[in-house]
Amino acid sequence: MNKYRSHNCNELRKKDIGKNVFLSGWINKKRDHGNLLFIDLRDNYGITQCIIDKENSNFKELEKTQLETVIKINGKVVDRTKDTINKDIETGDIEVVIEDYFVLGTCRELPMPVFSDQEYAEEIRLKYRFLDLRRKKIHENIILRSKVISFIRNEMSKLGFLEFQTPILTSSSPEGARDFLVPSRLNPGKFYALPQAPQQFKQLIMVSGFDKYFQIAPCFRDEDARADRSPGEFYQLDLEMSFVEQEDVFDVVEELLVNTFKKFSNKKLMFEKFPKISYSDTLLKYGTDKPDLRNPLIINDITEIFSRQDITFEIFKKLVKSGSKVRCIVTKNTKDKPRSFFDNIDKWAKEQGASGLAYFTIEGDKKISAKGPVGKFFSEDALKEIMKKTEAKVGDSIFLACSKQKELERITSLAREKIANDLNLIDENIFSFCWVVDYPMFERDEQTNKIEFSHNPFSMPQGDINKINFEKPLDILAYQYDIVCNGIELSSGAIRNHIPDLMYKLFSIAGYDKKQVDTKFSGMINALSYGAPPHGGIAPGIDRIVMLLANEKNIREVTMFPMNQNAQDLMMNAPSEINEKQLKELSLSLKLKK
RNA sequence: GGGGGUGUAGCUCAGUUGGUUAGAGCGAUCGCCUGUCACGCGAUAGGUCGAGGGUUCGAGUCCCUUCACUCCCGCCA
């Protein structure tokens, strides 16, 4: 029999009344009535109320024991009278009368309370993460994470995927994010890099003939943090399949995500077959490549209408002539909204660095007119054309922004979110997945004016590879895709380019000659020339999936031991200085910036 | 690298127009209390108001600098 407990703290029920038991756990809470003391004993599984009175010789000592001390108690399970039953805990029908107790782990005065629903500064939570993790909500988040990962592993196995580990010490890749580097002792002056993703390895696994691979893979990127982005490391469900087209990857991922989200959340799925939106469409209709489809508002481009003579909105017309565009958002049946509703949005837009959002409301039975500060600039015919183009009706309002395309996308995307929130149009009880597809292979860097890969240089260009027009590289689309859920980018993937000649050609467009490709991607390009199967895959972010399922806005709420924004682990004191001997072994010397 | 927010007791926070000895709840310590489940009641201790400088007769409060945390932009194939 176990030395510490006969039952856990969520096990005892009415049927156990009369049993002598022993329990171990943390003192979650004490309620001291002077001659009668209640102790809520907590472990991973739950809480059991234990009770002792002054007749017991242990009473005085136990009364003084600190919260969060780990104790073992011996006692008898007894019934509770009807009026003292606690429905909030699963063991609430019974309690344990303490006969004897032992301290297993003492506890100093706590730097932060464990039993409390209050929010605390993250600094203290991260420093005492082991205390923070005892707290109910985050404890449950971490358990959820574990269960989600187990479930995914199981599903992937059922789908015929094999799990493989890939190296953590690998080589630095020239593309992509900043690498974490590890100096090599045996190869002075040379460095390993931690993998930003097992991208090349998983392709090599396909070339090696394993057909379907997955891994819950740690990924390391030395980039700045965000609320939904841990500094340093995160996990992806990395997967890759041979002899597949885009649709085959979609089928697997849709089945997996639908099953996972149905199992771990009560929220509804807006689509079980995820809609596909092209990259160019999503930028136009939603202003972003991660659209939140719960939001019904859609952006329309009405630039052309501004060339009409009967629109006298000269500021916009002038901007349009110099290359700006006009886009608008229609809000349904907002004619009775107070002036302040519109002005607040305009004011908000100015705070976001835009020149503001013009607006008007469409009115009239027979004669259509526009009410609002800029309404007078639009003739009836012009309004009718706008209504036709945007499907706006009488009683709807239209918010207009005018600017150069990139800035316009930014502000309309933000405005779409802001207006939807103000009008309460977003259903928080829905998960809305979609695919963003047809990414361009290349894009032009605005600063350098150079042609660059827009996403992954290993992606396969679309269409008949013998008919690709390399003269117009910006028109080449790739079999490159993202999954977005509720406006959060969950993953991106691609059908890979497994044809070496085509790869050299594409790299040459981005300014890499054959020799450079051979050096920088030697493993890959070499492997592809020895019989590579067509293959493709994707890598959904585990942390973000759990974040959505746990209904958290911050990735640290689903990460057991996260670093802070400055990429420091306040509990372990990482990163830390190393001593001279270590530096010497690695042939390193420090040259710190002042 | 840039912009916003926050920083007052161990924790969560209040602190008015610059004005006496900086407060509350939780926690800690001590005392009272035998049916609570956020138990209740009373008392005590606990403060470099993030740090430095300035304005002022007087600064938690105003100004400047700086640090920490956080959110965002850049960055993240």
Side-chain angles (χ1 to χ4, degrees), chain A residues 368-381:
Chain A
I368 304 290
S369 65
K371 189 182 91 175
V374 302
K376 59 179 182 252
F377 299 128
F378 297 86
S379 74
E380 185 176 17
D381 284 348

Side-chain angles (χ1 to χ4, degrees), chain A residues 353-384:
Chain A
S355 42
L357 278 183
Y359 64 86
F360 57 78
T361 297
I362 301 168
E363 291 194 315
D365 300 322
K366 285 178 186 157
K367 189 169 161 48
I368 304 290
S369 65
K371 189 182 91 175
V374 302
K376 59 179 182 252
F377 299 128
F378 297 86
S379 74
E380 185 176 17
D381 284 348
L383 288 172
K384 280 184 178 162

Side-chain angles (χ1 to χ4, degrees), chain A residues 124-139:
Chain A
I124 195 146
R125 292 182 60 194
L126 294 183
K127 181 165 180 192
Y128 297 96
R129 191 59 159 179
F130 47 87
L131 290 178
D132 192 38
L133 286 167
R134 290 181 195 171
R135 298 171 66 219
K136 194 167 196 274
K137 193 168 173 224
I138 189 162
H139 199 87

Side-chain angles (χ1 to χ4, degrees), chain A residues 170-430:
Chain A
T170 181
S171 63
S172 178
S173 64
E175 294 280 325
R178 217 172 278 121
D179 284 315
F180 278 102
L181 298 173
V182 180
S184 166
R185 176 179 57 87
L186 293 175
N187 302 277
K190 294 191 174 172
F191 292 81
Y192 302 97
L194 306 184
Q196 296 183 21
Q199 179 64 39
Q200 295 194 52
F201 289 112
K202 72 172 171 180
Q203 292 192 237
L204 291 164
I205 290 170
M206 293 302 100
V207 177
S208 309
F210 288 100
D211 203 64
K212 288 181 189 164
Y213 141 92
F214 85 101
Q215 180 182 192
I216 309 289
C219 304
F220 306 89
R221 297 178 192 173
D222 186 7
E223 299 294 344
D224 288 350
R226 289 288 184 275
D228 63 351
R229 206 164 84 200
S230 292
E233 52 191 83
F234 61 96
Y235 284 80
Q236 286 183 339
L237 165 61
D238 196 42
L239 67 94
E240 197 76 5
M241 308 158 73
S242 287
F243 305 109
V244 291
E245 294 181 280
Q246 192 164 281
E247 288 297 327
D248 300 307
V249 179
F250 289 4
D251 287 346
V252 163
V253 173
E254 280 176 16
E255 183 179 346
L256 177 78
L257 288 180
V258 166
N259 288 346
T260 306
F261 277 70
K262 274 188 177 169
K263 182 170 173 68
F264 292 102
S265 176
N266 294 323
K267 292 190 183 183
K268 290 196 192 91
L269 295 177
M270 200 165 187
F271 314 102
E272 294 204 7
K273 189 79 190 159
F274 305 166
K276 299 180 189 74
I277 307 169
S278 75
Y279 178 76
S280 56
D281 267 4
T282 186
L283 285 182
L284 175 64
K285 290 163 77 174
Y286 309 105
T288 169
D289 63 353
K290 30 187 183 183
D292 185 349
L293 295 190
R294 294 173 305 171
N295 181 341
L297 301 177
I298 288 184
I299 300 161
N300 268 291
D301 192 304
I302 52 169
T303 310
E304 281 182 19
I305 299 176
F306 276 74
S307 59
R308 291 173 67 109
Q309 295 300 316
D310 56 351
I311 291 178
T312 53
F313 194 179
E314 296 304 331
I315 310 173
F316 275 27
K317 294 188 83 162
K318 205 173 156 188
L319 285 167
V320 166
K321 269 183 197 148
S322 64
S324 285
K325 297 189 171 182
V326 182
R327 288 185 182 170
C328 67
I329 295 172
V330 176
T331 58
K332 287 301 187 189
N333 197 24
T334 39
K335 64 177 188 305
D336 297 326
K337 286 278 166 193
R339 176 77 188 247
S340 60
F341 162 75
F342 298 97
D343 286 347
N344 278 339
I345 289 170
D346 182 48
K347 190 180 146 206
W348 164 88
K350 289 190 172 104
E351 284 165 8
Q352 305 307 309
S355 42
L357 278 183
Y359 64 86
F360 57 78
T361 297
I362 301 168
E363 291 194 315
D365 300 322
K366 285 178 186 157
K367 189 169 161 48
I368 304 290
S369 65
K371 189 182 91 175
V374 302
K376 59 179 182 252
F377 299 128
F378 297 86
S379 74
E380 185 176 17
D381 284 348
L383 288 172
K384 280 184 178 162
E385 197 182 335
I386 291 174
M387 288 167 75
K388 198 175 152 196
K389 170 90 182 167
T390 62
E391 293 176 17
K393 301 277 181 292
V394 170
D396 297 350
S397 308
I398 299 185
F399 291 86
L400 305 148
C402 179
S403 172
K404 289 270 176 355
Q405 182 158 329
K406 262 218 155 135
E407 166 62 12
L408 191 57
E409 282 164 358
R410 184 185 76 87
I411 195 67
T412 50
S413 165
L414 287 171
R416 186 174 163 267
E417 204 179 322
K418 163 74 178 167
I419 295 168
N421 280 327
D422 284 7
L423 290 171
N424 208 11
L425 297 177
I426 295 178
D427 185 343
E428 290 292 339
N429 283 309
I430 284 180

Side-chain angles (χ1 to χ4, degrees), chain A residues 540-552:
Chain A
I542 293 286
D543 314 78
R544 286 184 183 171
I545 288 174
V546 179
M547 217 169 115
L548 284 169
L549 290 171
N551 208 17
E552 294 287 359

